[in-house]
Amino acid sequence: MKLALPSRSQTLNVLETLAFGVAGGALFWWLELPGGLISGAMIAVATAGISGRQMGLPQGIAHVILMTLGLSLGAMVSPALIKNLSAYPLTIALLAAATFCATFGSSLYLQRIHGWDRTSALLAGSPGALSQVIMLATEKNADVAGIAVVQIMRVIILTAMVPLLLAATGMMGHGPLPSRGAAATPLALAELAVTAIVVSLLLRWLKFPASWMFGAMLGSSVLHGTGMVDGTLPQWAYVTALIGIGTLIGSRFGKIRPRTILSHIGAALGSFVVAVVISAVFVALIALTTSVKFSDIVVAFAPGAMDAMLALALTLHIDPIFVGAHHLSRFVFVSITTPGIVHLFGRPQEDVDD
């Protein structure tokens, strides 16, 4: 059987996408914008895609980017981070409540203000599980295009806004990339790579959410946490992961037609504000009643994509274990409850089929 090679045009499209991502990330970093490597790549690629350029990355490259991000996150595991696990049950329970309230609040806004049907509104308001939501929207004959715009625009805004918010409040500022210690030896890097692939494939077989990123993160965490491996990924790999995740997010948004974006931009921005206001109430509650750092709470409760928020945690000096635990919990919560919520509160099936 012959292996199908990418065509010349496909190869050029990938190279162009990577070029826009690198240029955007480099520009935003040079301008000293917080989180610039991610947000710059994301905005540059999204803008190019909306303007008509063919933006996109093949699955193989996307998987490598996600695993590199996971390895970088796992390398930050330390005994001090593990000790903080005792605070997680309370904050994860509040995260579930925040997710539930934000979903129904955004849904109500979309129905009352923009005239969306209940099923589409509920799916658009469910944060942090885009692939599952889109699959369910297709199955239920919901407004897939509108849901995609609302979901992806939420990620775009959060990825660009959270670093600026934390910088404006003095929680972080632009500066050198976080110090992560000495780079691992070539042998240790090989061990990390093999472990990441094996664990990721196992989690994928088990249909675990975000298997490529969490498989690499889990393998790296165990190896570093047990002392079997010392050192982190080289700086160039770390930078590649940050620019790469921004490029991936931007390419998703860039595939949506400008006319579709414009027709749903009011719904996207309005529902985003509703979700953020509701989440902010829970963030304030935790900040006032626990000793968890405010910046950690903000990124953990931000109603955005798991990969994007973990990438921000990596570049903003934020506890990746705390953020990862909460976004994984949200992902599982949304994946399990959304079908039931849509079934109970969405349109009757006969209305959907008409």
Side-chain angles (χ1 to χ4, degrees):
M1 181 186 250
K2 263 191 173 181
L3 184 64
L5 296 174
S7 65
R8 182 173 180 273
S9 62
Q10 289 173 323
T11 302
L12 290 175
N13 287 339
V14 171
L15 292 175
E16 184 180 10
T17 301
L18 293 172
F20 271 105
V22 171
L27 175 62
F28 274 45
W29 180 254
W30 179 72
L31 293 173
E32 300 192 352
L33 295 175
L37 291 174
I38 303 172
S39 56
M42 176 186 69
I43 292 171
V45 173
T47 302
I50 293 172
S51 66
R53 304 305 302 172
Q54 196 72 25
M55 296 285 104
L57 295 176
Q59 282 193 339
I61 292 179
H63 294 162
V64 170
I65 291 170
L66 291 171
M67 282 195 290
T68 304
L69 175 62
L71 287 171
S72 296
L73 289 162
M76 299 176 72
V77 171
S78 67
L81 291 180
I82 303 298
K83 285 182 181 178
N84 291 331
L85 286 171
S86 59
Y88 292 5
L90 171 63
T91 53
I92 286 176
L94 289 173
L95 175 65
T99 301
F100 184 84
C101 294
T103 297
F104 276 91
S106 298
S107 171
L108 190 61
Y109 168 83
L110 290 170
Q111 291 176 64
R112 296 289 176 84
I113 305 301
H114 297 278
W116 283 38
D117 64 85
R118 282 177 290 166
T119 298
S120 298
L122 284 166
L123 290 170
S126 299
L130 178 60
S131 56
Q132 283 81 351
V133 165
I134 294 299
M135 287 169 57
L136 192 56
T138 303
E139 179 186 326
K140 296 290 185 181
N141 293 333
D143 183 359
V144 176
I147 292 167
V149 171
V150 170
Q151 290 270 359
I152 299 176
M153 185 169 285
R154 182 192 299 138
V155 177
I156 291 274
I157 296 172
L158 282 171
T159 306
M161 186 182 77
V162 168
L164 295 176
L165 170 66
L166 294 178
T169 55
M171 296 292 173
M172 64 146 292
H174 180 84
L177 291 173
S179 174
R180 299 169 302 116
T185 64
L187 178 60
L189 290 174
E191 291 177 16
L192 285 168
V194 171
T195 303
I197 294 170
V198 170
V199 178
S200 296
L201 289 174
L202 175 61
L203 292 184
R204 185 171 176 79
W205 179 69
L206 294 172
K207 301 188 183 302
F208 191 84
S211 57
W212 296 107
M213 181 180 65
F214 267 96
M217 181 178 174
L218 178 60
S220 179
S221 298
V222 171
L223 290 178
H224 283 93
T226 57
M228 296 175 66
V229 167
D230 289 319
T232 64
L233 297 187
Q235 190 79 338
W236 63 265
Y238 169 63
V239 170
T240 298
L242 298 179
I243 293 178
I245 198 66
T247 302
L248 275 176
I249 298 168
S251 64
R252 293 172 190 165
F253 194 75
K255 292 176 181 177
I256 304 175
R257 293 181 179 179
R259 182 180 299 178
T260 304
I261 296 172
L262 290 174
S263 65
H264 293 294
I265 193 167
L269 294 176
S271 63
F272 169 79
V273 170
V274 171
V276 167
V277 169
I278 293 173
S279 297
V281 173
F282 287 87
V283 168
L285 176 63
I286 294 172
L288 293 172
T289 58
T290 71
S291 59
V292 181
K293 286 174 58 179
F294 180 74
S295 56
D296 292 355
I297 305 170
V298 169
V299 179
F301 274 66
M306 185 162 46
D307 50 7
M309 294 304 103
L310 281 171
L312 283 182
L314 188 63
T315 192
L316 301 181
H317 305 247
I318 287 169
D319 183 348
I321 307 303
F322 182 85
V323 173
H326 286 75
H327 277 280
L328 177 59
S329 299
R330 189 213 304 279
F331 190 103
V332 173
F333 177 77
V334 169
S335 298
I336 292 173
T337 61
T338 297
I341 289 173
V342 170
H343 177 73
L344 290 173
F345 300 102
R347 291 175 294 175
Q349 189 62 43
E350 56 267 22
D351 293 346
V352 176
D353 296 333
D354 287 344

